[in-house]
Amino acid sequence: MVYLAADHAGVTLKDALIVYLQQQQIPCSDLGTNTTDAVDYPDYAHRLCNTIAGTENRGVLICGTGIGMSIVANRLTDIRCAVALNPEMAYFARRHNNANVLALGARLIDAECAQHILDTFLSTEFEGGRHEARLAKIDYIGMVATLPAP
Ligand code: RB5
């Protein structure tokens, strides 16, 4: 399942991506917002991340830049969120970082570009190997205030 959420700046792109996913018969779920009335992006990032944390599901968060959504998402355990402005960023976010949440900036990319990024995000597998230990360090950093110097 792919969960999508957006603030007022991202709602139009979110709705377009939901139509795109439905056309491809990819299961998806809309976690709001559903109007262009101003809302606070942390509320929607939090809602989506709480929904997918600890599952195999993926998330897509959309705000004006993708930055605010990603800052919130990456505070939450089991969430690895990456902003992508092109398919290459989405590719490496999956291959190297095992990102489970994609953040998009509706004021920075058009719907066609967003579709290509989303295709890449959903179709690319994590590489594993040497990246496993690095992800384990990210989890460890999430549990402690400081790390010994490398
Ligand atoms: C809303 O104006 C804007 O700040 C928000 O969508 C997002 O870009 C924040 O990072």
Side-chain angles (χ1 to χ4, degrees), residues 7-10 39 41 62-71 105-107:
D7 71 357
H8 53 286
V39 294
Y41 61 83
I62 309 169
C63 61
T65 60
I67 295 170
M69 287 290 200
S70 68
I71 289 171
R107 292 174 177 157

Side-chain angles (χ1 to χ4, degrees), residues 3-18 29-48 60-64 69 106-107:
Y3 289 90
L4 297 95
D7 71 357
H8 53 286
V11 63
T12 302
L13 180 58
K14 170 181 67 65
D15 291 346
L17 290 177
I18 287 171
S29 179
D30 183 356
L31 297 180
T33 187
N34 297 111
T35 76
T36 53
D37 295 344
V39 294
D40 296 331
Y41 61 83
D43 296 332
Y44 290 87
H46 190 207
R47 176 186 292 177
L48 182 140
V60 181
L61 290 170
I62 309 169
C63 61
M69 287 290 200
R107 292 174 177 157

